[in-house]
Structures are given as structure tokens and as C-alpha cells.
Amino acid sequence: MRLFFPLLLSILIFSCTTKQKDHFEADIIIYGGTSAGITAAVQAKKMGKSVIVVSPDRHLGGLSSGGLGFTDTGNKAVIGGLAREFYHRLYLHYEQDSAWKWQKREEYGNKGQGTPAIDGENRTMWIFEPHAAERVFEDFVKENQLEIHRNEWLDREGGVVKENGEITSFRTLSGKIYRGKVFIDATYEGDLMAAAGVSYHVGREGNSMYDETWNGVQVGVYQHRHYFRDSISAYKIPGDPSSGLLPEISPNPPGKNGDGDKLLQAYNFRMALSRNPDNRVPFAKPANYDPARYELLARVYAAGWNQTFEKYDPIPNLKTDTNNHGPFSTDYIGKNYDYPEASYERRTEIINEHEDYQKGLMYFLSNDPQVPEDVRKEMANYGLAKDEFTDNDNWPHQIYVREARRMIGAYVMTEHDVLGAKAVPQPVGMGSYSLDSHNTQRFVTPGGFVQNEGDIGVHPKQPYSISYGTLVPKKEECSNLLVPVCVSSSHTAFGSIRMEPVFMILGQSAAAAASLAIDEGIAVQDLDYEKLRKVLLEEKQVLEN
């Protein structure tokens, strides 16, 4: 017995220590280290709340630090609060001579979207390098003493515990348990929202669902320059259907205009390329490289297309934020449909497939004799930026998830809200960008030619408000969750809302609402909007025109 009791005591002590080690508690638990997640955490701290950010990713900031440096901002006057602080800090960074390592500041050119990149009057910088953005997010973490748990992945199969319509805790794959009063899903995928049993939509609604015009299938609608203007055969042997389709073309018909489907706009990586010979890594030949998969692009060139470098947008230090452009581009059309609801393993496969495709494309552009000589010569001036994404072979650590799940919440934003046809109740922020959807499918026309479908770009006449109801689920589904990224909206409305500055705005507003709901001990759906509005205005959020 004298040996038994000390042994029992040791076991109990060890058990308690293990439990303490793997159990974490805070007022607000944020799942996702995106730009929305970090601004939410900062706002929670400002309002005196304990907060833990549980991030599947090691790097913070999502696309804002993952290559999307040529910011899609729209009307910059409606970007307030911590989002504007983010761009102000980037301005301060580029005011330092030390920030201009590979290029003289006066040689930069100052090109931005609609306004100069460096806005001296408003002391903001809208165009930036990935590592500079990541440093701002890490500064937010350090200054606010934020608790960040990195590389922690939600256990999507039974890891979320709910009681009486509330999330009480969730478990990650490593076995850690996170308990909170209010939860915020700040991921691009909406995994916590889905695991909590909240309603959502994947794909395009039919126009009839919300009486919209720009939702659903849009064959023959060409609002950007990402379609085939020439009659290019879809077949391996031009004009011969028996030879089979070229790679990267779907055999499925596109569907009837206006009908809904489960298709998603294309993903890609926003590469940071360098034109400085001392800071670039040549495009390597992928191990599984097959030039045949780029035969369609060769035919586009043969037809006279010459816009290769249209979206090699300049960011500081002789770098570019390189985005998709044209009928065949870095957008890997039709290869992401199962991503939103796929397992982590399958998502990794999809991400790797996108990376292989895009790396192969860059090698093809640089080396294949079917590419015009002037293009290959210009490509020789580019390579991956050696000082970006240094722990990932200079490749972006975040794929551009343009759209995944979208919550069906207390209020659904539609194109009517975005285009100003109706007043938006309870505004918590503003957007202004166009209804912007990338292509969703590449198909064969009845004549045997190739064409793309899904590309939309309809501009609102003026900035629009975003309703608080888009951030919260229906009360009967979950009363202590806010969702500032996979917001409650139709496909068309999300095409405008889905911009990184808007995610930061909504992340901050979500955390303010969470903090007030905790103070009053109420469901997030029962919050007195006027109290929230007062806090948001004090935080310099812009809520309405």
C-alpha cells in the first residue's frame, strides 16, 4: 500500500498536467490566421477580451501576405479601422530607405489600382511585397501580445462540441481542446462553420433563387479579356473529335444560362516574381513536366495573342504580383470543384496539382519553342523572388481560394445589395469592388471550339454597406459564432465582398460584436446594433455612404 498510493498520486498529477497542457480557454477563440483572423484578434484585445488564434497555417495574413500585393481595393475611402492601419504601416515601412533593397524608390513608378500605390496624402501604401505584409501582421501579434497556436488543424469529424445551440469547444488533430464563449471562423474554407452544423452553399445559385442576373451559368458573357476570341479547335488533331480533347478542357456541357451548379471560380497562386538578376530564381523544369498540357496556349499564341505580361503588376523592389490574364493563364480552371468540402489530404493534392500546373506553365513560357521568341526573351528577365517565401522554395504558401463555402446566415447579401438596388440593414463595413468572378469551366462549343465560362465583372455605381446579418448564422443553428470571411452571400455578391481589405474590416467588426455579446451574456444574433455601431464608429470603421 505504501508503494501504491505514491504511484496513484503520480498518475493523477501526470494526468492533470497533461490535461492542462492540452486544454486552452479564452473569451474568444478564432480559427484561422488570415488577415481577418488577425484584425479580429487585435480588436478583441482592444476591448479587453482574452483571445486565442488557432491557425492551421504557420504564416499569418492569408493572401494579404501570400502574394496578393497588388491589392484589390476599389474605393479606398471606405477602408477604415484596422484595415487602414495595416496599409498605413506598410506606408511607414516603405518610407524607410532600407525597404528599397533592389530598386531605388524613385524608379518604382508608383502604379496602383485607381490611385497611386504610395498615397502620401493619406499616408497609406496599397501595393507591397509579401514579406513586408507578413511583418505587419507579426507586429500586430507582438504589440498586442496575441496568443497564436500555429499548425493546428480542426478535427472536422466530431471535433466540435455544441450544447444548447452553442459551440462550447473544438478539438484539433493534435488533440488540443479550445474552449471559448464566442468563436470566430476566419478561414477561407469555413471549416469551423461547417463542422458546427451551420448552413452553407457551395457553387453558384441559380438566378431564380435571389432574383439575380449575374449568378449561375454565364455562357457567352465576356466582361474581362479571359476568353477565346479566335476559333481554336478543342481537339488534339484540330477539327477531329475522334482524336480526343486537348488537356485542360472539360468534356461536360456548360449548362443553361442562369442555372445554378456546384462549380467554383478558378484558383491560382499569386507569384512574387523578381526582375533583379541578383534576387531571382530561374523557373525550374518540374519533375512531371508535360508540354502537351500547354498545347492550348501554343494555339492561342499561334492565333496572334500577345498579352502575356498584362498582369505582371509591379510591386516594390523590381518584383511583380503575377496574376492570371487571358484565355489560358495561371488560373487552373475546373480543377478545384471538390476543394471546399474535401479532406485535408485531398486539399493537399489539389494544391499540389495547382502548383505543378503553374510551375509547368512558367517553364513552358520560358523555354518552349512554340512560345513566341519575344515572350521567351522577356521571360528570361523573370524568376521567383529569392527573398520571398524563403521556407517554401520561394513559392507562395497560400493558394488563392477565391471562393469556397458561403454561409446561409441571418441575412444573405445578393447583387441587389451590392449594386445599390436596396438598402442594407445594420452595416458593419463597406465594399466597393466589382462583382468579380473568374472563369469556372472550359468547355467545347457545338462547333468543336474551346471556350471559357464564368468570368464576370460588373461594377457597382458606388460603395455599398455590408450587413451585420452576413456575419452571423441563423440563431437556431449556432448562437455564438461569427463568420467574417465565408460570409452569408450569393455567389455574385461574394465576388465583390471577397477582397482582402473587406475581410480585415469584417474581422474587426466581428470581434467587436463578439466582445459586446460576451459583456451582455447574449447570443450574437441578439446584440443591440446601435451599441455595435457606436463601437465601430469609434474604431473609425466606415459604415455607409
Side-chain angles (χ1 to χ4, degrees):
M1 291 295 292
R2 283 180 298 184
L3 292 173
F4 174 75
F5 283 113
L7 178 61
L8 179 62
L9 182 61
S10 298
I11 292 172
L12 290 173
I13 291 173
F14 178 77
S15 175
C16 292
T17 302
T18 304
K19 183 178 180 180
Q20 182 68 29
K21 176 184 176 183
D22 292 337
H23 284 62
F24 302 89
E25 189 166 345
D27 294 323
I28 299 173
I29 304 294
I30 300 169
Y31 184 58
T34 60
S35 60
I38 301 306
T39 56
V42 172
Q43 182 61 32
K45 269 299 188 77
K46 291 179 73 172
M47 296 181 71
K49 299 296 177 284
S50 59
V51 58
I52 299 174
V53 177
V54 183
S55 175
D57 305 300
R58 295 184 183 276
H59 295 272
L60 304 180
L63 259 297
S64 283
S65 61
L68 207 167
F70 197 77
T71 310
D72 296 326
T73 47
N75 187 323
K76 297 166 181 61
V78 304
I79 299 173
L82 288 170
R84 181 162 285 267
E85 172 68 14
F86 172 79
Y87 298 108
H88 171 62
R89 290 188 178 216
L90 286 166
Y91 172 85
L92 295 178
H93 169 75
Y94 286 107
E95 282 291 285
Q96 304 172 74
D97 291 340
S98 59
W100 299 90
K101 182 177 180 181
W102 305 107
Q103 179 183 38
K104 293 181 180 179
R105 178 191 174 104
E106 57 270 20
E107 295 174 349
Y108 168 52
N110 209 22
K111 175 190 173 184
Q113 287 201 36
T115 62
I118 306 172
D119 184 347
E121 180 180 353
N122 293 294
R123 294 175 61 80
T124 47
M125 178 69 167
W126 302 103
I127 311 298
F128 48 85
E129 299 160 277
H131 76 268
E134 187 170 3
R135 174 43 51 197
V136 172
F137 289 118
E138 293 292 353
D139 286 345
F140 279 149
V141 169
K142 183 177 180 180
E143 293 166 16
N144 294 277
Q145 298 182 314
L146 300 179
E147 185 174 349
I148 312 289
H149 293 203
R150 304 176 199 241
N151 198 30
E152 290 292 339
W153 298 78
L154 175 68
D155 182 350
R156 294 157 57 191
E157 302 296 330
V160 175
V161 178
K162 290 177 68 178
E163 295 179 6
N164 301 318
E166 291 186 347
I167 302 172
T168 58
S169 67
F170 68 74
R171 181 180 65 249
T172 59
L173 295 180
S174 69
K176 294 183 174 63
I177 304 292
Y178 295 90
R179 180 176 294 272
K181 298 174 182 176
V182 175
F183 293 78
I184 296 176
D185 185 340
T187 63
Y188 292 118
E189 296 84 4
D191 283 342
L192 177 58
M193 169 191 76
V198 172
S199 299
Y200 61 87
H201 193 94
V202 175
R204 301 181 287 189
E205 299 92 347
N207 276 324
S208 59
M209 180 172 288
Y210 299 116
D211 191 28
E212 294 178 299
T213 300
W214 302 111
N215 213 330
V217 177
Q218 300 284 326
V219 173
V221 177
Y222 309 124
Q223 296 178 336
H224 290 110
R225 290 180 287 167
H226 309 318
Y227 62 97
F228 292 88
R229 301 187 178 206
D230 301 284
S231 297
I232 295 176
S233 177
Y235 304 112
K236 292 177 182 178
I237 300 175
D240 182 5
S242 67
S243 65
L245 291 171
L246 286 171
E248 318 306 343
I249 300 176
S250 170
N252 301 318
K256 181 181 176 182
N257 275 20
D259 284 355
D261 55 31
K262 294 296 184 181
L263 309 188
L264 295 172
Q265 57 179 306
Y267 297 172
N268 71 343
F269 287 93
R270 297 288 285 255
M271 299 174 295
L273 305 185
S274 172
R275 290 187 291 117
N276 188 300
D278 295 325
N279 190 42
R280 69 176 181 232
V281 179
F283 299 115
K285 183 178 182 179
N288 58 349
Y289 175 70
D290 180 5
R293 70 190 308 193
Y294 309 104
E295 168 63 23
L296 184 55
L297 177 57
R299 294 185 187 182
V300 172
Y301 278 126
W305 186 76
N306 62 353
Q307 300 170 19
T308 304
F309 302 100
E310 286 281 321
K311 287 301 292 178
Y312 283 47
D313 292 312
I315 61 177
N317 283 307
L318 288 176
K319 299 175 189 174
T320 66
D321 167 1
T322 303
N323 197 13
N324 73 295
H325 180 73
F328 191 104
S329 71
T330 58
D331 272 5
Y332 198 21
I333 299 172
K335 309 298 182 178
N336 59 340
Y337 299 155
D338 58 332
Y339 180 88
E341 298 183 287
S343 67
Y344 292 133
E345 293 78 13
R346 174 59 186 145
R347 283 183 187 167
T348 298
E349 290 177 356
I350 294 170
I351 291 169
N352 290 339
E353 289 164 4
H354 279 69
E355 182 176 337
D356 286 344
Y357 163 81
Q358 200 161 327
K359 285 182 174 179
L361 173 62
M362 302 312 290
Y363 184 81
F364 179 85
L365 288 170
S366 302
N367 296 279
D368 197 283
Q370 297 180 94
V371 175
E373 184 178 1
D374 62 328
V375 174
R376 284 181 280 131
K377 185 176 179 180
E378 180 63 18
M379 284 296 297
N381 295 318
Y382 289 94
L384 297 176
K386 190 182 296 185
D387 61 348
E388 299 290 353
F389 314 120
T390 56
D391 63 347
N392 197 40
D393 293 328
N394 311 112
W395 192 257
H397 44 71
Q398 174 66 60
I399 192 171
Y400 197 169
V401 180
R402 289 189 171 95
E403 189 171 1
R405 297 184 179 98
R406 287 173 282 104
M407 181 169 64
I408 303 174
Y411 185 90
V412 180
M413 289 279 289
T414 70
E415 67 183 47
H416 304 295
D417 301 283
V418 173
L419 297 178
K422 57 184 288 193
V424 176
Q426 300 185 336
V428 291
M430 298 191 74
S432 63
Y433 207 75
S434 64
L435 304 173
D436 184 29
S437 173
H438 287 231
N439 281 306
T440 63
Q441 55 184 328
R442 178 174 290 143
F443 65 97
V444 187
T445 69
F449 302 116
V450 61
Q451 192 52 269
N452 296 332
E453 182 277 322
D455 186 74
I456 297 297
V458 181
H459 294 274
K461 293 180 180 179
Q462 61 183 11
Y464 58 90
S465 298
I466 301 171
S467 175
Y468 176 60
T470 66
L471 305 184
V472 296
K474 297 169 185 175
K475 187 177 178 181
E476 63 269 22
E477 293 185 346
C478 190
S479 60
N480 69 334
L481 174 69
L482 294 109
V483 184
V485 177
C486 296
V487 295
S488 178
S489 64
S490 70
H491 162 72
T492 50
F494 192 74
S496 176
I497 295 169
R498 67 177 181 84
M499 305 305 158
E500 287 291 303
V502 178
F503 288 156
M504 289 188 231
I505 291 166
L506 298 182
Q508 181 177 10
S509 294
S515 300
L516 291 173
I518 290 170
D519 288 342
E520 299 187 23
I522 58 174
V524 295
Q525 293 85 355
D526 295 337
L527 186 62
D528 183 341
Y529 170 71
E530 291 305 319
K531 293 181 180 179
L532 175 60
R533 178 185 178 88
K534 181 175 183 295
V535 171
L536 297 182
L537 291 175
E538 289 172 352
E539 295 294 336
K540 299 183 180 180
Q541 293 276 51
V542 182
L543 304 182
E544 55 204 352
N545 288 309

